[in-house]
Amino acid sequence: SAAARRPWRLFGAMCLLRLPRITQPLEKEEEEMVALMEQIELEKSCYSDHEIRKLEEEEQLKRKKESLYDEDEARGKTVIMAQDLEEKWEQKFLQFKAAPRVTDADKSNDRKSLNRKLDSNLMLLVKQKIGNQELWLLPQVEWQPGETLRSTAERAMATFLGDHIQAKVLGNAPYGIYKYKFPRAIRTENNMGAKVFFFKAFLQSSDLSQADLKADYLWVTKKELGEYLKTEYLKKVNRFLLD
Amino acid sequence: PCRAQPKKKKKVDVKKEQAQKERMKKKLKKLEKAAPELIPIEDFITPLKYSESNRVRSLPTLSPEETERRVLLLKKWCLFKQKQDEAEKKAIKALVESQQEALKELRLESEELYEAAIRRDEGLFPFEREGPSYTPPLPGYDPPEGKCIDITKVYTQ
């Protein structure tokens, strides 16, 4: 019943994910397969209009070199050859410089930046005081009566990132739970421990300049979580994180 | 006598007109009953100019080592994809288990919160997101101007 005092304190935590912006590099087998598929496609294809034009012009050039009746054939022929067109296109392509896949933030390992590791998911970790310890955790706040756990998690996000954060919360149900008992010193009959319910959200806006970051924060990938989170906590968090 | 004849003419005309109309309606019905002409799928009809003989590509035939290499690569690919699929399924299973455990614990806590958690989230779908590209967007890039004119043929039945 809701009236009875439960011995577990409830917390709502939000796992905010920044989704990848670029594709992951291909594995070795995938690269080999791509090469094979391209080869097979080339073998099964027919000549395109451009290729036929190129072949004909090559024939013409050969005939011009061997014999000298280019006067008759040159009448009414275009000046631009297919080969010239190809070179022009190649030049244009080389002039274009795409944005680099490995950003400056990657090189400097700036873990506070959202521009790092553009091909993987980044998660928000904040430093919070639990008891008398400062720990790295997913942002969490205690549940207050009258709100659903999802709103608790959203409030946690707003507490650490400000109100102007655009995130899509994935559903009303929690994704994971971390249960722990308080150390014997503060454990009582009515206050045995805490249950932290995790919710997941996708970050929609990539611009966090408006965000009012109050505490110490980091954006880390799933692999780097092990450097910051405690083992038991990490085990529970890893279960609901897809790489 | 002057009155009777014009009246007959009118009657005969009216009857003839009605007969004509009925014939037209019957023809229309016959046409409608006939099966409608199928819309040709342009992708499945190869234009004749691509079946000419000069279009056939001349490439050296594959050596037996090459075919052997291809077969082995396909087998390796098969195994790779199977492992990838198994890993995905395992990850999804872990996700579902984690969620079920969380909901079970929540139920033990409070029925009210549990009910709120298992309620359907109406705002979640339709969920739209642009997929990742090969390179990140270039800040300050000015794409070249151009107009796209759609020349697809539209058939009506």
Side-chain angles (χ1 to χ4, degrees):
Chain A
S1 53
R5 185 78 203 282
R6 304 289 313 179
W8 297 94
R9 283 169 65 181
L10 299 179
F11 287 83
M14 181 61 88
C15 178
L16 189 59
L17 289 164
R18 186 229 62 188
L19 294 168
R21 300 241 194 90
I22 58 177
T23 49
Q24 290 184 329
L26 295 174
E27 308 267 336
K28 193 170 75 88
E29 286 97 341
E30 286 178 319
E31 295 216 357
E32 284 174 21
M33 202 58 190
V34 162
L36 178 62
M37 290 282 118
E38 278 182 9
Q39 232 179 327
I40 293 181
E41 203 182 299
L42 187 73
E43 283 162 18
K44 287 193 176 175
S45 67
C46 298
Y47 284 128
S48 65
D49 288 339
H50 179 83
E51 286 185 311
I52 290 211
R53 180 176 161 183
K54 240 175 93 167
L55 288 172
E56 282 175 359
E57 284 170 7
E58 272 172 34
E59 282 284 319
Q60 274 182 19
L61 271 180
K62 254 198 274 180
R63 272 183 281 159
K64 269 191 201 176
K65 283 181 191 166
E66 287 165 15
S67 48
L68 297 163
Y69 55 80
D70 52 336
E71 317 277 337
D72 300 339
E73 290 193 27
R75 251 181 262 154
K77 295 280 193 224
T78 50
V79 182
I80 305 172
M81 306 240 297
Q83 189 63 38
D84 299 332
L85 273 177
E86 276 192 15
E87 280 168 20
K88 205 167 80 171
W89 295 333
E90 186 71 34
Q91 286 297 316
K92 205 166 170 190
F93 177 62
L94 289 171
Q95 276 173 8
F96 172 73
K97 285 274 174 282
R101 280 164 64 93
V102 178
T103 59
D104 297 328
D106 271 319
K107 290 182 201 154
S108 59
N109 201 10
D110 177 15
R111 298 220 165 162
K112 293 204 176 202
S113 150
L114 268 183
N115 269 337
R116 198 173 69 95
K117 297 271 181 192
L118 289 173
D119 62 349
S120 26
N121 288 334
L122 282 185
M123 269 148 277
L124 181 67
L125 282 184
V126 283
K127 208 163 202 175
Q128 288 183 272
K129 195 158 174 162
I130 302 285
N132 52 0
Q133 280 182 314
E134 288 256 343
L135 297 169
W136 282 110
L137 301 169
L138 296 176
Q140 69 183 50
V141 288
E142 185 154 5
W143 171 77
Q144 279 159 12
E147 62 176 6
T148 59
L149 274 171
R150 178 186 163 155
S151 354
T152 318
E154 285 172 344
R155 193 160 56 88
M157 207 166 54
T159 322
F160 289 99
L161 290 176
D163 288 323
H164 301 282
I165 206 78
Q166 283 169 7
K168 183 115 188 182
V169 184
L170 301 175
N172 287 326
Y175 273 76
I177 177 169
Y178 176 59
K179 202 161 79 171
Y180 66 98
K181 289 192 178 153
F182 291 140
R184 286 187 187 274
I186 45 170
R187 207 188 298 177
T188 62
E189 269 271 329
N190 280 338
N191 203 7
M192 274 180 67
K195 288 188 184 179
V196 186
F197 290 94
F198 298 106
F199 286 80
K200 240 187 183 179
F202 288 154
L203 188 66
Q204 301 282 77
S205 64
S206 51
D207 174 32
L208 285 182
S209 50
Q210 286 240 326
D212 186 18
L213 287 128
K214 297 191 172 87
D216 212 6
Y217 70 99
L218 284 180
W219 291 96
V220 290
T221 58
K222 187 177 172 191
K223 294 191 190 117
E224 294 159 4
L225 278 179
E227 298 167 25
Y228 299 96
L229 302 179
K230 303 229 159 174
T231 14
E232 281 301 316
Y233 191 83
L234 178 68
K235 252 202 312 199
K236 296 286 178 174
V237 168
N238 268 339
R239 279 175 74 189
F240 65 81
L241 288 178
L242 297 171
D243 206 9
Chain B
C2 293
R3 262 188 241 166
Q5 280 179 334
K7 273 190 189 169
K8 275 186 200 166
K9 275 187 192 169
K10 276 187 196 169
K11 276 188 197 167
V12 165
D13 277 344
V14 165
K15 274 190 188 170
K16 272 188 187 170
E17 276 179 35
Q18 277 181 344
Q20 257 189 338
K21 277 186 196 169
E22 274 174 40
R23 267 181 265 146
M24 290 293 286
K25 279 185 195 169
K26 278 187 188 171
K27 279 183 190 170
L28 277 172
K29 274 188 196 171
K30 272 194 185 171
L31 282 173
E32 274 172 18
K33 271 190 195 171
E37 213 178 86
L38 298 169
I39 300 175
I41 304 173
E42 297 213 2
D43 287 338
F44 290 175
I45 310 167
T46 34
L48 288 170
K49 72 169 181 173
Y50 295 123
S51 347
E52 282 170 27
S53 55
N54 71 331
R55 291 267 181 174
V56 177
R57 207 178 277 272
S58 55
L59 290 166
T61 48
L62 295 175
S63 61
E65 290 94 21
E66 180 63 22
T67 38
E68 185 72 25
R69 178 194 81 100
R70 285 189 183 184
V71 165
L72 288 172
L73 179 60
L74 286 169
K75 291 195 178 189
K76 236 181 16 170
W77 177 249
C78 197
L79 195 68
F80 171 78
K81 269 298 188 190
Q82 186 193 39
K83 291 223 165 81
Q84 201 185 53
D85 188 49
E86 273 174 28
E88 265 183 34
K89 290 197 168 128
K90 203 169 126 183
I92 294 178
K93 202 168 151 196
L95 201 80
V96 168
E97 270 175 14
S98 165
Q99 193 168 54
Q100 290 298 323
E101 193 193 317
L103 285 171
K104 202 172 72 175
E105 292 282 336
L106 184 57
R107 193 155 206 193
L108 289 176
E109 278 302 306
S110 125
E111 198 61 37
E112 198 188 311
L113 286 176
Y114 177 74
E115 290 301 318
I118 59 173
R119 218 175 290 150
R120 194 180 280 196
D121 184 7
E122 300 298 333
L124 187 58
F125 293 112
F127 179 73
E128 276 181 14
R129 176 181 125 75
E130 262 190 43
S133 48
Y134 184 66
T135 50
L138 197 60
Y141 177 63
D142 191 20
E145 299 272 287
K147 221 166 43 158
C148 187
I149 308 167
D150 200 4
I151 52 168
T152 42
K153 293 191 198 157
V154 176
Y155 293 92
T156 46
Q157 272 200 332

